Amino acid sequence: MDSLQNLLDSVGSVVWGPFFLIPLLLLTGLFLTIRMGGLQFRALGRSLRAVFSRDDSDDSTDGDITNYQALTTALAATVGVGNIVGVATALSIGGPGALFWIWVTGLVGMITKYTEAYLGVRFRVTDARGEQIGGPQIYLKRGIRGPLGKILGVAFAIFAVFASFGIGNLTQGNAIASNMESTFGIDPVASGAIMFVAIGAVLLGGIQAIGRITSAFVPLMIIIYVVGGIIVLITNAGALPEALATVFTEAFTGTSAAGGFTGAGIIMVIQFGVARGIFSNESGMGSAAIAAAAAKTPHPARQAFVSMTQTFIDTLVVVSITGLVIVVTGTWDEGRENAATMTADAFSVGLPGHWGGTIVSLSIIFFAFSTIVAWSYYGERALASLVGTIATLPYRMFFTVVVFVGAVTELDLVWSFSDLANGLMAVPNLIGMLILSGLVARETKAYLKFDPGLNRPFTEVREFTEAQGMGWK
């Protein structure tokens, strides 16, 4: 077991090292930002309004779920243990400066999320069951001609299937069981059995059931967690300016990184900040494009703008709350030996009685459950692109069993495995987005000229799309 851990750590240090995935992620986001004229900043307000605008799609609009349900499904996948435990881990090892690099990942991640969601809808296809299927496993093969596109698409699909059992299953199931035991005294076996039944029931309904469930409780669970965090920040308002100054200072000095001297400390701060940032918001991984492809939308840009707000909500809202609460309460330094309880300890400092720990525990349970549900769909769609829809039922059954395994098993290796799988997913997707960025920039510019406010009726947008002869359906 130790040798496997060492192997994962060695490979992971290369993948997430300062000379491979980290610069690839940041430079891809920077390149897309420049090529699209800072679109994520110019259109953020309009995108947020579009999230809550009236949905006038109908049965003639291609897609399986509404654009809002596609957003909440993607949010369900990203707002999970990484927003609580992952952020605490980054701060415990990289120090407060890691939060700055998580923010950077979110800022450039908005445009990568837009690009992959656009491509997800642009190149989606209809499967044997009449459902929409899209994502990097599709748009890499369809958008990039020749063997390169096929190789990138297959590589992404394989990595996504493996990642669905790491980031989307084992870590989440284990987190739920651990918190059910510590908070309510429920045995992990019982928690595993409950999750087995609940997840299995949801998966039987497919993406329509997933969309209905996530649209109902994802916003509520985020609001409860964020409100609790804001109360903690208000309680410790006097320490907030110093906390922000520490975050920005440590981002470029790395002196608070665990065991790090100046040079190595900076590298560690950036490495853990970016790694946990992408673990949280999944920008660049391509996973959210799979959910976006299922949305009822008359044009790829409409759904891409909505999907872009997911990274903003996940990283610049939820993760910021977690990180700032940990820094202002000082628990990032006091609780370095146990990052798993760091966020709960921080909330307990700012909220009376046991409310802080209870809110964090319940948030982990609900965040993790929603992540499992959404990632089951991601893995299923990736596997279907490799072997067809015949694999759907066996995958759902096996995925449900693995949830139980995660609940009752110690998973010391899972975090290392999850980071590695995330990184390997991102590589083919980032390469593909760079190649296809010209198409996205050109078509986005044309769409914004037609619909600058993102508020044209679906019927008019559909007519525009057909007139353009884009052939994206």
Side-chain angles (χ1 to χ4, degrees):
M1 192 66 70
D2 290 339
S3 60
L4 179 58
Q5 179 69 63
N6 292 334
L7 176 62
L8 289 174
D9 289 341
S10 298
V11 177
S13 65
V14 174
V15 172
W16 284 105
F19 306 109
F20 185 51
L21 188 55
I22 289 177
L24 180 60
L25 274 166
L26 297 180
L27 291 176
T28 298
L30 181 60
F31 173 80
L32 292 172
T33 298
I34 295 172
R35 185 156 201 175
M36 299 192 195
L39 183 66
Q40 70 268 47
F41 308 115
R42 293 188 292 113
L44 179 59
R46 285 173 286 175
S47 298
L48 289 169
R49 288 194 299 271
V51 171
F52 303 103
S53 64
R54 180 176 60 87
D55 179 15
D56 58 354
S57 61
D58 53 38
D59 292 338
S60 65
T61 305
D62 288 344
D64 304 314
I65 55 179
T66 67
N67 58 7
Y68 177 72
Q69 289 174 334
L71 170 67
T72 56
T73 298
L75 273 173
T78 56
V79 180
V81 176
N83 293 76
I84 299 176
V85 179
V87 176
T89 302
L91 268 63
S92 68
I93 299 175
L99 181 59
F100 172 85
W101 293 105
I102 293 176
W103 287 337
V104 171
T105 305
L107 289 172
V108 300
M110 283 193 288
I111 195 62
T112 56
K113 187 66 61 97
Y114 174 89
T115 303
E116 61 194 16
Y118 188 100
L119 293 170
V121 178
R122 177 70 164 77
F123 291 102
R124 67 186 179 183
V125 295
T126 304
D127 66 14
R129 297 180 300 179
E131 295 180 346
Q132 298 297 318
I133 177 172
Q137 76 278 20
I138 302 297
Y139 64 68
L140 292 173
K141 290 188 288 186
R142 296 191 68 206
I144 304 173
R145 297 183 180 182
L148 177 60
K150 293 180 180 179
I151 292 172
L152 292 175
V154 170
F156 173 86
I158 293 173
F159 296 144
V161 172
F162 279 107
S164 71
F165 292 104
I167 182 180
N169 192 318
L170 291 168
T171 57
Q172 313 296 333
N174 189 261
I176 291 175
S178 297
N179 279 273
M180 292 285 280
E181 183 177 29
S182 62
T183 305
F184 304 107
I186 299 176
D187 187 89
V189 175
S191 296
I194 294 171
M195 283 188 286
F196 178 85
V197 174
I199 295 296
V202 173
L203 297 193
L204 286 176
I207 184 59
Q208 289 83 5
I210 293 173
R212 288 193 298 270
I213 290 173
T214 57
S215 64
F217 80 83
V218 166
L220 178 62
M221 72 183 191
I222 291 176
I223 289 172
I224 293 174
Y225 182 78
V226 168
V227 168
I230 290 174
I231 293 174
V232 175
L233 293 179
I234 292 174
T235 304
N236 295 270
L240 190 56
E242 182 180 353
L244 289 170
T246 301
V247 169
F248 285 98
T249 301
E250 293 292 337
F252 299 98
T253 62
T255 53
S256 293
F261 53 89
T262 303
I266 294 174
I267 293 175
M268 190 175 295
V269 170
I270 297 174
Q271 180 176 351
F272 277 89
V274 175
R276 294 307 175 190
I278 191 175
F279 186 93
S280 173
N281 61 49
E282 299 178 14
S283 295
M285 286 175 56
S287 52
I290 301 175
K296 293 181 178 180
T297 183
H299 193 281
R302 283 291 283 263
Q303 180 55 41
F305 279 115
V306 171
S307 295
M308 185 178 75
T309 64
Q310 175 216 327
T311 299
F312 176 82
I313 295 170
D314 175 274
T315 304
L316 300 176
V317 177
V318 181
V319 167
S320 294
I321 291 293
T322 300
L324 289 175
V325 165
I326 290 173
V327 177
V328 299
T329 57
T331 52
W332 69 270
D333 196 23
E334 299 171 1
R336 277 185 158 177
E337 295 183 358
N338 192 359
T341 63
M342 185 184 293
T343 304
D345 294 340
F347 269 71
S348 295
V349 170
L351 296 176
H354 299 288
W355 278 105
T358 301
I359 286 178
V360 172
S361 293
L362 289 176
S363 295
I364 289 177
I365 291 170
F366 286 111
F367 285 7
F369 181 85
S370 68
T371 298
I372 293 172
V373 170
W375 264 94
S376 68
Y377 180 70
Y378 292 169
E380 173 191 316
R381 297 282 83 183
L383 185 60
S385 72
L386 294 171
V387 299
T389 55
I390 191 174
T392 297
L393 183 58
Y395 173 86
R396 292 178 181 178
M397 295 173 63
F398 184 64
F399 190 90
T400 305
V401 171
V402 173
V403 173
F404 179 83
V405 174
V408 300
T409 307
E410 291 297 326
L411 302 170
D412 295 334
L413 300 175
V414 168
W415 280 102
S416 297
F417 171 78
S418 297
D419 276 344
L420 181 58
N422 289 357
L424 293 175
M425 276 181 66
V427 173
N429 184 53
L430 291 169
I431 294 173
M433 283 197 295
L434 288 172
I435 295 173
L436 296 170
S437 61
L439 177 147
V440 178
R442 182 174 62 253
E443 294 184 352
T444 296
K445 182 178 180 180
Y447 182 78
L448 285 177
K449 186 176 181 180
F450 162 76
D451 185 16
L454 307 181
N455 55 9
R456 289 258 194 155
F458 271 28
T459 52
E460 293 182 13
V461 177
R462 190 183 301 113
E463 291 174 0
F464 168 80
T465 304
E466 294 172 353
Q468 292 295 305
M470 292 172 58
W472 58 272
K473 294 183 180 179

